[in-house]
Amino acid sequence: MKAKIGLVVSDFNQEITSIMEKAAEKAAKSLKLEVVKKIHVPGAFEIPFAANKLLKNKKINAVVALGAVVQGETYHDVVIMNAVSSALVDLSIKYNKPIGFGVIGPRVAWQQAKARAEEYAKRAVKAAAEMAKIKD
């Protein structure tokens, strides 16, 4: 059976996240996964809300979250990453479905995030695919 996934893509730092989106779609295709639904959100903070919507969908076996939270002059990136990662773990457990975590950060420079974009996306899709194989 072909696993079906949903993608959540943050549009903040779109030059980076568009690379991630393309890499995730390519990785999904190579792993014979079907991307059933894709939701774009304004920023990383909104990823859990969209992931929640996708996890409720009975057709979706796993979700992949993609975003880039770049370091600024404050610790805002750390706060955002802590909130997003914690919320995604809680949602994964609540719905008993895996979430591939492809959100870059915190404490990374823009250039570092861009350099890691493709690899993070591929790894997130692969993790979601592997975890979706685990049966109750």
Side-chain angles (χ1 to χ4, degrees):
M1 182 177 88
K2 190 179 211 180
K4 297 175 190 237
I5 65 169
L7 293 180
V8 180
V9 184
S10 167
D11 287 337
F12 202 83
N13 294 315
Q14 188 184 23
E15 189 175 331
I16 297 167
T17 61
S18 63
I19 293 167
M20 298 179 85
E21 182 179 0
K22 287 178 188 136
E25 289 173 334
K26 185 176 178 184
K29 188 175 182 180
S30 74
L31 292 169
K32 299 187 181 0
L33 304 173
E34 181 183 349
V35 178
V36 175
K37 186 162 174 106
K38 185 171 25 171
I39 300 175
H40 282 259
V41 295
F45 192 76
E46 293 78 30
I47 289 172
F49 181 85
N52 183 59
K53 298 283 187 194
L54 293 175
L55 291 164
K56 286 179 182 179
N57 186 328
K58 299 214 184 295
K59 294 178 185 173
I60 292 176
N61 306 108
V63 169
V64 176
L66 303 173
V69 183
V70 176
Q71 182 176 352
E73 294 180 22
T74 67
Y75 282 89
H76 180 74
D77 60 317
V78 174
V79 172
I80 294 297
M81 285 299 289
N82 284 337
V84 170
S85 60
S86 179
L88 290 176
V89 168
D90 291 346
L91 287 168
S92 178
I93 292 167
K94 176 182 175 182
Y95 289 100
N96 197 31
K97 293 182 183 181
I99 299 175
F101 190 70
V103 184
I104 301 168
R107 306 278 89 186
V108 295
W110 195 89
Q111 296 84 355
Q112 291 170 316
K114 189 172 181 188
R116 296 174 184 167
E118 200 170 319
E119 187 61 31
Y120 265 62
K122 286 180 192 175
R123 287 182 185 183
V125 171
K126 186 172 185 208
E130 288 297 313
M131 294 303 293
K133 292 178 187 175
I134 297 174
K135 303 292 181 212
D136 289 329

